[in-house]
Amino acid sequence: MTDPTTPTPMHPLRRALTLWGAIIALMWLILIIDIVLPAHLTGFGIIPRTTEGLIPGILAAPLLHAGAPHLISNTIPLAVMGTIAALRDWRGMWVALACSLVVSGLGVWLLAPAWSVTVGASGIAFGLFGYLLARGVFIRSIADILISVLIVIVYGSLIWGVLPSHPHVSWQAHLFGFIGGILAAFATAKASRRTASPAA
């Protein structure tokens, strides 16, 4: 008999949409506050090879954007790929987020031009992109391979963002975010195989 006091688990799709809706809403709220005050919050982004650019720079940068067009360009990829990643593997999505945030941030901090300030969630978007692409290869499930193919069809042009193409676009964030996502896919696939393997 079901205990009526036990809370009903949230549906996976609702949980994913709630999480990514909250994250994206927070980004928009921060941008609006920055515009209205103005608070010049972008100054808390990643400033290469400086202490403050490392912390809080790496943690703060994904939440900060240079303007509405900048955030709009990240909103849909984050919502779509974040939701797909959450539905495929909730824990794996968090690993992908952490890896893309840290690896992307460190890549920018180490390689971006001195005294530049990098903000935006594109490193995480590229991390989710790399994670979903590589997951299909490492997990070796038909569903994940099909998702990888679909991601390539819809967002395949993103891959060019890992190359230097525009002085005001951080290819470092894109490249290292993408690498972080691949590392996350490899790590989660390895952990899944270890869990699935029977004990000797």
Side-chain angles (χ1 to χ4, degrees):
M1 183 175 178
T2 304
D3 185 351
T5 62
T6 303
T8 304
M10 187 180 291
H11 188 279
L13 179 58
R14 183 180 176 186
R15 180 175 65 173
L17 291 175
T18 299
L19 172 68
W20 284 100
I23 291 173
I24 292 169
L26 176 60
M27 292 177 181
W28 277 101
L29 177 61
I30 291 172
L31 177 63
I32 291 169
I33 291 172
D34 201 16
I35 292 172
V36 170
L37 288 180
H40 305 293
L41 296 177
T42 52
F44 292 98
I46 302 172
I47 303 172
R49 298 168 296 282
T50 65
T51 304
E52 64 274 17
L54 187 63
I55 300 294
I58 289 177
L59 297 178
L63 297 173
L64 306 172
H65 289 80
H70 186 200
L71 182 48
I72 289 170
S73 69
N74 285 328
T75 294
I76 294 177
L78 284 175
V80 172
M81 291 189 287
T83 299
I84 293 172
L87 291 174
R88 295 309 299 162
D89 183 353
W90 180 254
R91 291 182 180 179
M93 177 209 68
W94 285 107
V95 174
L97 272 180
C99 284
S100 58
L101 186 149
V102 173
V103 177
S104 172
L106 287 176
V108 171
W109 189 79
L110 289 169
L111 298 179
W115 305 113
S116 61
V117 181
T118 299
V119 295
S122 57
I124 289 177
F126 272 80
L128 292 169
F129 178 54
Y131 171 74
L132 290 172
L133 286 184
R135 180 179 165 83
V137 175
F138 294 134
I139 296 292
R140 300 177 198 166
S141 76
I142 297 299
D144 285 295
I145 290 172
L146 290 175
I147 288 172
S148 297
V149 172
L150 181 61
I151 291 295
V152 168
I153 292 172
V154 177
Y155 288 110
S157 61
L158 280 180
I159 195 65
W160 300 112
V162 304
L163 300 175
S165 58
H166 193 285
H168 299 296
V169 175
S170 177
W171 63 269
Q172 298 93 341
H174 298 174
L175 174 61
F176 285 93
F178 185 73
I179 291 171
I182 293 174
L183 291 175
F186 177 77
T188 53
K190 188 175 181 180
S192 297
R193 286 195 294 270
R194 189 183 302 119
T195 302
S197 299

